[in-house]
Amino acid sequence: MRVLYYDCFSGISGDMNLGAMLDLGVDKDYLISELKKLNVDGYDIEVKVDERKGITGTKVNVHNLQHHHGDEGLDHHHHHRNLTDIKNIIDKSDLNENVKSLSHRLFLAVAEAEAKIHGKSLDEVHFHEVGAIDSIVDTVGAAVCLDKLDVDKVIFSPIATGRGFVHCAHGKFPVPAPATTEILEGLPVTSGDAEVELTTPTGAAIAKVFGDEYTKDFDFTVVKTGYGIGGRDNLVPNVLRVILGEKKN
């Protein structure tokens, strides 16, 4: 049995997840060509080797190119997609059914959390963050990578969320952010050591939707390890470790 273990000692975000998946062996060109099936543009994927505290891994940056265009109308439209808009983009694509289904579930997890926090219906939730092209790439990319790895079971360690406060558009916000906290309901979490946001709503949705089991303990033969590099420089290395394992059934 093929097992994928997510070691979230320094949290999880959409870009850390993509970095970890590529580091584990998912082909970058495969990921890029699958994402082209969405027929959305305005982004660029940068993949590079990077390190945190001596641990080397893969850093993925999804650049949103829309900011650089003079056309405000275009930019505005792209930042206010709702769940139906995103569903349509996914459904119209040539992605396989498993990738479509995983993608829908990831977006739904975030939309449900946002709806609950803001007291809105699902269709009223506009994805300021998730509707932006970089979040769409992170989210659908996660589904593409998991589908490609073709594992029988996905296990998550307790998820480090970070703690303290972050500054955002609404002022000072507690960490983990309300949407992240909502998505992680029912899952084991730990604050971790860093006074920063370690787990994002996209990362939390990946943990919720992909996870079959949540435990510190693992019991398998390690086949390969990958490291996705995060954007922070904390005392604890800001990396997401993923382990591909084999387990006797």
Side-chain angles (χ1 to χ4, degrees):
M1 170 161 101
R2 270 165 70 87
V3 181
L4 180 63
Y5 184 83
Y6 274 87
D7 192 1
C8 304
F9 62 83
S10 189
I12 176 170
S13 63
D15 57 336
M16 283 167 84
N17 177 66
L18 283 182
M21 295 292 103
L22 295 182
D23 207 55
L24 200 56
V26 174
D27 182 57
K28 175 183 99 165
D29 296 329
Y30 173 79
L31 173 64
I32 289 169
S33 67
E34 287 298 295
L35 287 167
K36 287 208 171 106
K37 295 179 179 178
L38 285 171
N39 289 314
V40 290
D41 51 19
Y43 68 91
D44 177 48
I45 297 178
E46 178 195 8
V47 178
K48 62 182 183 184
V49 173
D50 203 345
E51 61 97 32
R52 290 290 176 275
K53 302 277 181 262
I55 296 180
T56 304
T58 301
K59 176 96 180 79
V60 173
N61 290 314
V62 180
H63 299 290
N64 185 342
L65 304 180
Q66 257 125 27
H67 291 312
H68 308 306
H69 292 173
D71 184 351
E72 277 302 303
L74 177 85
D75 197 54
H76 180 80
H77 167 74
H78 280 289
H79 274 74
H80 294 84
R81 293 186 175 99
N82 68 8
L83 191 60
T84 309
D85 299 329
I86 289 175
K87 271 185 172 163
N88 290 338
I89 290 171
I90 294 166
D91 285 337
K92 282 189 206 149
S93 75
D94 295 328
L95 290 162
N96 75 42
E97 290 310 313
N98 186 41
V99 171
K100 286 182 181 179
S101 162
L102 287 168
S103 300
H104 283 318
R105 286 167 58 202
L106 289 168
F107 282 112
L108 184 62
V110 178
E112 284 176 341
E114 297 280 4
K116 189 167 171 189
I117 291 159
H118 299 300
K120 294 183 167 175
S121 73
L122 273 177
D123 281 332
E124 284 177 308
V125 173
H126 287 289
F127 289 107
H128 297 281
E129 299 293 326
V130 176
I133 190 68
D134 44 348
S135 293
I136 292 176
V137 169
D138 282 345
T139 306
V140 177
V144 166
C145 291
L146 183 67
D147 175 72
K148 181 66 175 164
L149 286 174
D150 193 26
V151 293
D152 302 300
K153 188 178 200 179
V154 182
I155 305 167
F156 277 81
S157 76
I159 296 140
T161 60
R163 60 177 184 216
F165 291 87
V166 287
H167 294 276
C168 66
H170 305 290
K172 273 182 92 170
F173 239 64
V175 174
T180 303
T181 311
E182 197 65 49
I183 295 164
L184 290 172
E185 198 173 277
L187 306 189
V189 297
T190 163
S191 62
D193 294 329
E195 297 269 328
V196 291
E197 181 183 45
L198 294 176
T199 294
T200 62
T202 300
I206 289 167
K208 183 152 207 167
V209 171
F210 289 2
D212 298 308
E213 198 180 305
Y214 303 89
T215 177
K216 281 193 181 98
D217 306 317
F218 45 82
D219 171 23
F220 50 73
T221 304
V222 174
V223 175
K224 192 164 186 199
T225 306
Y227 290 93
I229 304 291
R232 303 189 178 285
D233 187 24
N234 306 326
L235 285 170
V236 172
N238 188 208
V239 299
L240 171 64
R241 175 161 58 187
V242 288
I243 302 169
L244 202 55
E246 275 292 341
K247 186 172 175 161
K248 293 195 173 67
N249 292 6

